[in-house]
Amino acid sequence: GAVVSQHPSRVICKSGTSVKIECRSLDFQATTMFWYRQFPKQSLMLMATSNEGSKATYEQGVEKDKFLINHASLTLSTLTVTSAHPEDSSFYICSASPVSGDYNEQFFGPGTRLTVL
Amino acid sequence: GQNIDQPTEMTATEGAIVQINCTYQTSGFNGLFWYQQHAGEAPTFLSYNVLDGLEEKGRFSSFLSRSKGYSYLLLKELQMKDSASYLCAVTDSNYQLIWGAGTKLIIKP
Protein backbone atom coordinates (compact mmCIF):
# COMPACT_ATOMS: atom_id res chain seq x y z
CA GLY A 1 0.00 0.00 0.00
CA ALA A 2 0.81 3.72 0.10
CA VAL A 3 1.89 4.07 -3.51
CA VAL A 4 2.43 7.47 -5.10
CA SER A 5 2.86 7.88 -8.83
CA GLN A 6 4.17 10.77 -10.87
CA HIS A 7 3.71 11.51 -14.53
CA PRO A 8 5.67 12.04 -16.63
CA SER A 9 8.87 10.47 -15.36
CA ARG A 10 10.97 12.49 -17.78
CA VAL A 11 10.22 15.56 -19.85
CA ILE A 12 12.31 17.65 -22.19
CA CYS A 13 10.88 20.95 -23.32
CA LYS A 14 11.90 24.15 -25.01
CA SER A 15 12.52 27.32 -23.06
CA GLY A 16 9.34 29.35 -22.62
CA THR A 17 6.92 26.45 -22.62
CA SER A 18 4.89 25.21 -19.66
CA VAL A 19 5.11 21.74 -18.20
CA LYS A 20 2.57 19.99 -16.01
CA ILE A 21 3.57 17.25 -13.60
CA GLU A 22 0.95 15.04 -11.98
CA CYS A 23 1.23 13.39 -8.58
CA ARG A 24 -1.30 10.75 -7.63
CA SER A 25 -1.81 8.70 -4.49
CA LEU A 26 -2.96 5.37 -5.89
CA ASP A 27 -4.27 3.49 -2.89
CA PHE A 28 -4.90 6.11 -0.25
CA GLN A 29 -6.34 9.58 0.13
CA ALA A 30 -3.85 12.34 0.76
CA THR A 31 -4.79 15.34 2.84
CA THR A 32 -1.49 16.96 2.12
CA MET A 33 0.93 16.72 -0.76
CA PHE A 34 4.40 18.15 -0.89
CA TRP A 35 6.48 19.21 -3.86
CA TYR A 36 10.26 19.08 -3.73
CA ARG A 37 12.99 19.72 -6.18
CA GLN A 38 16.48 18.40 -6.10
CA PHE A 39 19.50 19.64 -7.99
CA PRO A 40 22.37 17.25 -8.70
CA LYS A 41 24.27 16.20 -5.61
CA GLN A 42 22.07 18.30 -3.37
CA SER A 43 19.40 17.41 -0.85
CA LEU A 44 15.68 17.78 -1.30
CA MET A 45 14.34 21.32 -1.19
CA LEU A 46 10.71 21.75 -0.23
CA MET A 47 8.96 24.00 -2.71
CA ALA A 48 5.40 24.00 -1.44
CA THR A 49 2.83 22.21 0.64
CA SER A 50 -0.63 21.73 -0.79
CA ASN A 51 -3.82 20.78 0.98
CA GLU A 52 -6.83 19.50 -0.90
CA GLY A 53 -9.23 22.29 -1.75
CA SER A 54 -7.07 25.16 -0.57
CA LYS A 55 -4.20 27.25 -1.85
CA ALA A 56 -0.71 25.88 -1.62
CA THR A 57 1.77 27.24 0.89
CA TYR A 58 5.02 28.13 -0.83
CA GLU A 59 8.44 28.15 0.76
CA GLN A 60 10.41 31.36 0.82
CA GLY A 61 12.05 32.06 -2.48
CA VAL A 62 9.70 29.91 -4.55
CA GLU A 63 7.68 31.91 -7.07
CA LYS A 64 4.04 30.92 -6.78
CA ASP A 65 3.21 32.41 -10.18
CA LYS A 66 5.87 30.32 -11.82
CA PHE A 67 5.19 27.07 -10.03
CA LEU A 68 1.43 26.63 -10.06
CA ILE A 69 0.10 23.95 -7.75
CA ASN A 70 -3.41 22.57 -7.87
CA HIS A 71 -4.59 19.98 -5.34
CA ALA A 72 -8.03 19.37 -6.77
CA SER A 73 -8.81 16.07 -5.09
CA LEU A 74 -7.60 13.84 -2.30
CA THR A 75 -5.64 11.75 -4.76
CA LEU A 76 -4.25 14.26 -7.24
CA SER A 77 -1.97 17.27 -7.12
CA THR A 78 -0.39 18.95 -10.12
CA LEU A 79 2.64 21.18 -10.44
CA THR A 80 2.85 23.37 -13.52
CA VAL A 81 6.15 25.00 -14.32
CA THR A 82 5.17 28.02 -16.38
CA SER A 83 7.47 29.60 -18.95
CA ALA A 84 10.20 27.14 -18.10
CA HIS A 85 13.83 28.17 -18.45
CA PRO A 86 17.02 26.10 -18.38
CA GLU A 87 17.60 26.97 -14.73
CA ASP A 88 14.33 25.18 -13.92
CA SER A 89 15.88 21.93 -15.06
CA SER A 90 15.80 19.71 -12.00
CA PHE A 91 14.41 16.55 -10.43
CA TYR A 92 10.91 17.25 -9.11
CA ILE A 93 9.55 14.88 -6.47
CA CYS A 94 6.16 14.83 -4.82
CA SER A 95 5.13 13.15 -1.61
CA ALA A 96 1.77 12.58 0.02
CA SER A 97 0.49 12.19 3.55
CA PRO A 98 -2.55 9.99 4.19
CA VAL A 99 -5.82 11.39 5.50
CA SER A 100 -5.69 8.92 8.33
CA GLY A 101 -2.66 7.77 10.19
CA ASP A 102 0.41 9.52 11.41
CA TYR A 103 0.62 13.07 10.10
CA ASN A 104 4.32 12.59 9.82
CA GLU A 105 4.12 9.92 7.19
CA GLN A 106 5.13 10.96 3.72
CA PHE A 107 5.18 8.61 0.78
CA PHE A 108 7.26 9.69 -2.18
CA GLY A 109 6.56 9.48 -5.86
CA PRO A 110 9.32 8.28 -8.21
CA GLY A 111 10.17 11.81 -9.36
CA THR A 112 10.08 13.70 -12.66
CA ARG A 113 13.26 14.78 -14.37
CA LEU A 114 12.71 18.04 -16.21
CA THR A 115 15.19 19.25 -18.79
CA VAL A 116 14.60 22.66 -20.33
CA LEU A 117 16.56 23.35 -23.50
CA GLY B 1 17.85 28.49 12.90
CA GLN B 2 17.15 24.88 12.21
CA ASN B 3 20.01 22.67 11.24
CA ILE B 4 20.72 19.04 10.52
CA ASP B 5 24.28 17.82 10.17
CA GLN B 6 25.48 14.59 8.66
CA PRO B 7 28.76 13.66 7.00
CA THR B 8 28.97 14.43 3.31
CA GLU B 9 30.51 11.15 2.26
CA MET B 10 31.58 7.83 3.77
CA THR B 11 33.31 4.79 2.36
CA ALA B 12 32.98 1.23 3.61
CA THR B 13 33.81 -2.28 2.51
CA GLU B 14 31.35 -4.90 1.33
CA GLY B 15 30.33 -7.15 4.21
CA ALA B 16 31.33 -4.63 6.87
CA ILE B 17 29.28 -2.39 9.17
CA VAL B 18 28.90 1.36 8.84
CA GLN B 19 27.30 3.95 11.09
CA ILE B 20 26.01 7.21 9.66
CA ASN B 21 25.50 9.93 12.24
CA CYS B 22 23.01 12.77 12.24
CA THR B 23 22.79 15.65 14.69
CA TYR B 24 19.98 18.15 14.70
CA GLN B 25 18.95 21.47 16.19
CA THR B 26 15.31 22.17 15.46
CA SER B 27 12.43 24.10 16.95
CA GLY B 28 10.66 21.19 18.55
CA PHE B 29 10.83 17.55 17.63
CA ASN B 30 8.16 15.21 16.36
CA GLY B 31 10.21 12.41 14.93
CA LEU B 32 13.27 11.59 12.86
CA PHE B 33 13.35 9.79 9.54
CA TRP B 34 16.04 8.05 7.58
CA TYR B 35 15.65 7.72 3.82
CA GLN B 36 17.77 6.01 1.21
CA GLN B 37 18.15 7.61 -2.18
CA HIS B 38 19.87 6.02 -5.15
CA ALA B 39 21.20 8.36 -7.80
CA GLY B 40 18.43 9.61 -10.05
CA GLU B 41 15.67 8.12 -7.95
CA ALA B 42 13.29 9.39 -5.30
CA PRO B 43 13.99 8.67 -1.62
CA THR B 44 12.67 5.49 -0.07
CA PHE B 45 11.70 5.24 3.57
CA LEU B 46 14.04 3.32 5.89
CA SER B 47 13.08 4.14 9.45
CA TYR B 48 11.23 6.43 11.81
CA ASN B 49 12.21 7.16 15.44
CA VAL B 50 10.22 9.28 17.83
CA LEU B 51 11.29 7.71 21.13
CA ASP B 52 14.81 7.19 22.43
CA GLY B 53 16.45 3.92 21.66
CA LEU B 54 17.30 1.54 18.90
CA GLU B 55 14.92 0.36 16.18
CA GLU B 56 16.11 -2.69 14.28
CA LYS B 57 14.83 -3.68 10.88
CA GLY B 58 16.81 -6.42 9.20
CA ARG B 59 20.27 -5.23 8.25
CA PHE B 60 19.39 -1.64 9.11
CA SER B 61 19.02 -0.14 12.60
CA SER B 62 18.34 3.42 13.66
CA PHE B 63 19.09 4.98 17.03
CA LEU B 64 17.76 8.15 18.60
CA SER B 65 18.75 10.24 21.60
CA ARG B 66 16.46 13.22 21.91
CA SER B 67 18.38 14.77 24.79
CA LYS B 68 21.52 14.83 22.64
CA GLY B 69 19.79 15.75 19.38
CA TYR B 70 21.48 12.76 17.82
CA SER B 71 20.64 9.79 15.66
CA TYR B 72 22.54 7.20 13.73
CA LEU B 73 21.74 4.72 11.01
CA LEU B 74 23.61 1.44 11.28
CA LEU B 75 23.99 -0.73 8.21
CA LYS B 76 25.29 -4.28 8.67
CA GLU B 77 26.56 -6.85 6.20
CA LEU B 78 27.01 -4.18 3.61
CA GLN B 79 26.14 -5.01 0.02
CA MET B 80 27.13 -3.18 -3.13
CA LYS B 81 23.50 -2.16 -3.65
CA ASP B 82 23.70 -0.17 -0.40
CA SER B 83 25.77 2.42 -2.24
CA ALA B 84 23.43 5.42 -2.10
CA SER B 85 22.80 8.66 -0.31
CA TYR B 86 21.22 8.45 3.14
CA LEU B 87 19.07 11.36 4.19
CA CYS B 88 18.25 12.29 7.76
CA ALA B 89 15.09 14.36 8.24
CA VAL B 90 13.45 15.74 11.38
CA THR B 91 9.85 16.83 11.89
CA ASP B 92 9.74 20.03 13.91
CA SER B 93 7.05 21.41 16.20
CA ASN B 94 5.05 22.62 13.18
CA TYR B 95 5.29 19.18 11.60
CA GLN B 96 7.58 20.54 8.91
CA LEU B 97 10.19 18.12 7.63
CA ILE B 98 13.69 19.52 7.90
CA TRP B 99 16.13 17.68 5.64
CA GLY B 100 19.81 17.04 6.06
CA ALA B 101 22.04 17.32 3.02
CA GLY B 102 22.53 13.58 2.88
CA THR B 103 25.50 11.25 3.28
CA LYS B 104 26.82 9.60 0.17
CA LEU B 105 27.86 6.06 1.06
CA ILE B 106 30.37 4.35 -1.20
CA ILE B 107 30.74 0.59 -0.87
CA LYS B 108 33.98 -0.98 -2.10
CA PRO B 109 34.46 -4.67 -2.85
Side-chain angles (χ1 to χ4, degrees):
Chain A
V3 178
V4 176
S5 71
Q6 269 183 255
H7 178 81
S9 57
R10 289 178 180 271
V11 58
I12 301 173
C13 68
K14 292 182 179 180
S15 185
T17 60
S18 294
V19 175
K20 180 186 281 189
I21 303 170
E22 290 187 351
C23 177
R24 293 182 184 270
S25 55
L26 298 185
D27 51 2
F28 67 99
Q29 292 184 322
T31 310
T32 306
M33 288 187 170
F34 304 85
W35 286 97
Y36 295 86
R37 70 177 174 186
Q38 187 177 36
F39 293 105
K41 299 183 180 181
Q42 294 186 28
S43 189
L44 299 172
M45 291 178 54
L46 179 65
M47 298 176 67
T49 302
S50 73
N51 292 293
E52 184 265 339
S54 62
K55 290 183 178 180
T57 302
Y58 289 81
E59 295 299 299
Q60 194 171 9
V62 178
E63 300 175 59
K64 62 181 181 180
D65 294 331
K66 180 170 182 64
F67 298 100
L68 302 178
I69 292 172
N70 184 4
H71 193 158
S73 76
L74 285 172
T75 59
L76 173 65
S77 176
T78 60
L79 168 68
T80 301
V81 184
T82 62
S83 187
H85 287 86
E87 57 265 30
D88 299 323
S89 297
S90 187
F91 192 42
Y92 291 86
I93 307 171
C94 74
S95 68
S97 283
V99 170
S100 60
D102 190 345
Y103 181 91
N104 291 336
E105 291 184 274
Q106 286 190 33
F107 301 96
F108 283 87
T112 297
R113 187 160 301 284
L114 170 63
T115 303
V116 185
L117 303 177
Chain B
Q2 310 209 85
N3 193 49
I4 295 183
D5 288 315
Q6 49 181 134
T8 304
E9 187 174 295
M10 299 181 70
T11 302
T13 306
E14 190 177 15
I17 299 173
V18 71
Q19 177 175 310
I20 303 174
N21 295 324
C22 171
T23 57
Y24 61 90
Q25 300 92 37
T26 57
S27 54
F29 177 84
N30 279 300
L32 184 145
F33 294 84
W34 283 97
Y35 284 87
Q36 179 190 62
Q37 186 178 26
H38 286 100
E41 299 180 12
T44 56
F45 171 82
L46 290 178
S47 67
Y48 172 67
N49 294 69
V50 66
L51 299 176
D52 290 349
L54 186 68
E55 296 275 347
E56 297 186 76
K57 191 184 295 185
R59 293 189 299 115
F60 293 3
S61 303
S62 57
F63 171 83
L64 174 68
S65 168
R66 288 172 295 172
S67 62
K68 295 181 179 178
Y70 167 70
S71 172
Y72 67 73
L73 180 70
L74 190 71
L75 294 79
K76 302 177 184 177
E77 301 170 16
L78 286 170
Q79 302 175 9
M80 297 303 293
K81 67 178 182 180
D82 297 330
S83 291
S85 286
Y86 291 85
L87 306 173
C88 173
V90 172
T91 307
D92 69 8
S93 57
N94 294 319
Y95 291 94
Q96 296 286 330
L97 254 187
I98 314 299
W99 291 89
T103 298
K104 182 179 180 181
L105 178 62
I106 300 168
I107 309 296
K108 294 185 176 180

